[in-house]
Amino acid sequence: MSHHGNVYRSGDAPPTSTFYDQGKFGRLFPNLPAFSSDSPALRAALLKIGERNGLMDAQDDLTQAPQNLILQQALLANNEDNPDLTAGMTFLGQFLDHDMTLDITSSLEQQVDPEMIQNFRIPTFGLDSVYGLGPAGSPHLFDQTVDHGLTTLLVEKNPGAENLSRDGSMKFDLPRNSQGTPLIGDPRNDENLVLSQLQVAFLKFHNSIVTHLKTQLGLSNPAEVFLEAQRLTRWHYQWIILNEFLPKTIGKNLVKDILTKGRKFYKWRNAPYIPVEFSVAAYRFGHSQVRPSYRVNFGKGTDPDLFALFFNDNLAVNPVSIDMRGGTREPNRFIDWQTFFDFGDNKARQNKRIDTRISSVMFDLPGLPPGGPQSLAQLNLLRHLTFKVPSGQRVAAAMGIEALPEEDLAELKPYNLHNRTPLWYYCLKEADVTADGKRLGPVGGRIVGEVMIGLLQGDKTSYLSQDPDWTPTLGKKLGQFTMVDLLTVAGVVTEL
């Protein structure tokens, strides 16, 4: 997976020595020891726990047609759907992650001090991945045929897609160079098809606001148009984080508690930072939500719906009919969003429950060198050693939350990790035991909630800082705004 990042955003001061305080990772609980000392035996145990057909593998039958893994209840017994969260929330979570963090320097092989790891993202919800350094610093992200490249983000048509779309509408892709590499602020947003189409939706959402400002409000100065469109895009996006993503992920009551009673554990001296307890552990809950397969789009007329496995590392090539990895433009590579978010038409599909069972497609990731870890679970568990992350039990104690009883973690007893559990695994198990896998539990939920709300509170340009009583203006209902509204305003929804 390619990684790179922009170090600061348009409108920000250039980097200074104090800037780099902001771009580091850190710890919520600096005084807690690592969950275990590093050893070959422990590494072997973590690789075993996270291996294909191991403890965490949901054992999906990947020989089945992709649609069977969605429609046949018998095949879902070990990998249950989450009735409260639709499939798209997983990818919104991934998009948010890429807006907060980018670590291109750490290695799984050696232990590191998180405060020495550079985060090549300013940890705010400022959409660096969309805007890069703005029209002056990242001209390749902007459409040079409109306002001399000063207002409008570049998207490209996906030729032939209109012939495969239910309503015959033109579909769009990320702009790409002659070798197919995406021209976007964060290349990770082309890792899979859903994420790349979500990036397109954000680009087109900004552009819809540009049009609105010109036609409805009569703004004409390009610099003014861009800055106002950027502000409105960011604020509507931040509203979704606070009013849709977080309530569904950690529960409304915990969101309200953090907003009204304040953050207990996530604090900073000079500027917000990204804690490893969040980035390495709690926020990786989304890996448990990924489905083995998805309905990509509805096809056209008598053509059947297009279903695909999420990843399939056995392919020599990457046609979308079998695999949804990113990096390719083909006429049938577009997303019909009614599957991923609830438009009220009974077409939305759910994501998977948050638990320690992970879809089997995540145990043989494309592009990983042979001989090393092959699964996402192995990579996640090894990172706990790299970053010396404390155990879930110690974090719970530090938070004053009762730890899970050892019998809930009995499957880890052979590895002697049932009472000093890697925090990621602990947060998944906690969600399963305390919230039926529908949302995060008390430890994972508080880490995710405090950090994400804290980033909004610590960003001087966020609506929470500048205008906490602001309400959105672009949704169907005044004062409300959801991902369904964003996709609708962006003009990326096929009429069915």
Side-chain angles (χ1 to χ4, degrees), residues 408-428:
D408 282 339
L409 294 151
E411 71 275 17
L412 297 180
K413 202 160 188 182
Y415 309 101
N416 196 27
L417 293 171
H418 58 296
N419 52 12
R420 47 169 186 171
T421 306
L423 183 56
W424 174 61
Y425 191 100
Y426 184 93
C427 289
L428 296 181

Side-chain angles (χ1 to χ4, degrees), residues 447-460:
I447 293 172
V448 168
E450 288 205 8
V451 171
M452 294 182 82
I453 290 169
L455 292 179
L456 287 168
Q457 291 171 332
D459 172 9
K460 293 183 177 61

Side-chain angles (χ1 to χ4, degrees), residues 130-131 143 146-147 151-155 172 199-219 225-226 228-230 232-233 236 473-474 481 484-493:
V130 168
Y131 295 111
D143 188 338
V146 182
D147 297 328
T151 62
T152 301
L153 290 156
L154 184 62
V155 293
F172 293 85
Q199 175 89 6
V200 168
F202 274 92
L203 300 175
K204 287 180 66 68
F205 179 67
H206 167 94
N207 293 349
S208 292
I209 296 178
V210 168
T211 303
H212 170 78
L213 293 174
K214 290 177 178 178
T215 57
Q216 303 298 310
L217 300 185
L219 294 190
V225 168
F226 172 71
E228 181 62 2
Q230 184 184 48
L232 283 170
T233 300
H236 281 82
T473 52
L474 297 171
F481 196 77
V484 165
D485 290 315
L486 186 143
L487 295 162
T488 305
V489 172
V492 295
V493 183

Side-chain angles (χ1 to χ4, degrees), residues 70 82 108 228-229 259 286 311 352 361 395 422-423 432 446 450:
I70 299 170
N82 182 341
L108 293 173
E228 181 62 2
L259 284 171
F311 288 140
K352 292 298 179 184
V361 291
V395 171
L423 183 56
D432 188 17
R446 184 158 287 277
E450 288 205 8

